[in-house]
């Protein structure tokens, strides 16, 4: 298959990070095309690839697949050896549960703490409903680690052992909690550290920091000097 992933700005596009990270950790070869979002003409460019007008979009030859979770499912079906979902049925169903909980939820956290890799981010109070989301995510991650972390046949420091689609779905939450300095339990922090130690994570981050686009209200907490 000849895959191209259409993504938004790496600094801001939390949905784009999901399939991008999954494809990198799964070792799937792909080309990428970055469309800077919320610029004049951005929407028209995205609409060339997806009628929904949103990124990410995966192109497989002439076919276009949009919606991050559908892209992950497509990749898992096309490349079963990539191990994006665990082989064990119970671990697999739990990975799908937590991925779906992320896909449809946590709106207050997503609104209140936008993804932004320029550190430190602008200080702002984190709302009570966003903190409710943080508590639920912290419990969900800790529960995953307690259920699957010790299983010798599954193994690995990620949500259901080895890295996969569930982790890809939460990658942007890891980034948000880290950049906003939000405290979580030791188990969740260890999970975040494992995610942020991935070479793919650092590849995305390094590319994000080189991007020239600055979204209003999401400037870093220091004067941004262009060209550095
Ligand atoms: N449910 C979609 C959400 C995609 C989404 O909201 N993408 C944002 C970027 S992170 C976007 O394309 N925004 C552009 C716009 O709304 O015009 C998914 O999972 O892929």
């Amino acid at each position: 298959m000849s895959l191209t992933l259409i993504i938004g700005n790496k600094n801001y596009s939390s949905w784009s990070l999901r399939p991008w990270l999954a494809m990198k950790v799964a070792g799937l070869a792909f080309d990428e095309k970055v469309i800077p979002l919320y610029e004049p003409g951005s929407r028209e460019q995205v609409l060339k690839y997806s009628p929904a007008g949103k990124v990410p979009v995966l192109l497989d030859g002439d076919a276009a697949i949009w919606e991050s979770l559908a892209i992950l499912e497509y990749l898992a079906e096309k490349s079963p050896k990539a191990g994006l979902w665990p082989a064990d049925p119970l671990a697999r169903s739990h990975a799908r549960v937590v991925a779906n909980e992320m896909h449809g939820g946590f709106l207050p956290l997503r609104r209140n703490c936008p993804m932004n890799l320029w550190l430190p981010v602008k200080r702002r109070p984190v709302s009570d409903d966003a903190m409710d989301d943080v508590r639920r995510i912290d419990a969900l991650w800790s529960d995953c680690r307690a259920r699957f972390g010790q299983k010798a046949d599954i193994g690995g420091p990620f949500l259901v052992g080895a890295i996969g689609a569930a982790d890809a779905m939460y990658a942007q939450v890891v980034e948000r909690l880290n950049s906003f300095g939000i405290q979580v339990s030791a188990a969740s922090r260890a999970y975040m550290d494992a995610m942020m130690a991935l070479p793919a994570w650092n590849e995305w981050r390094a590319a994000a920091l080189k991007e020239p686009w600055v979204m209003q209200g999401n400037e870093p907490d220091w004067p941004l000097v262009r060209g550095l």
Side-chain angles (χ1 to χ4, degrees), residues 25-36:
V25 297
L28 302 175
F30 65 102
D31 293 322
E32 67 175 55
K33 178 177 168 59
V34 176
I35 299 180

Side-chain angles (χ1 to χ4, degrees), residues 8 12-16 18 37-38 43 46 53-56 66-69 71 103 110 169:
Y12 300 119
S13 184
S14 57
W15 300 91
S16 299
R18 297 162 191 202
L37 299 175
Y38 311 113
R43 191 167 165 74
V46 177
K54 307 249 187 232
V55 290
W66 58 96
E67 282 292 329
S68 52
L69 193 49
I71 295 172
H103 194 63
R110 280 159 40 204
M169 289 300 290

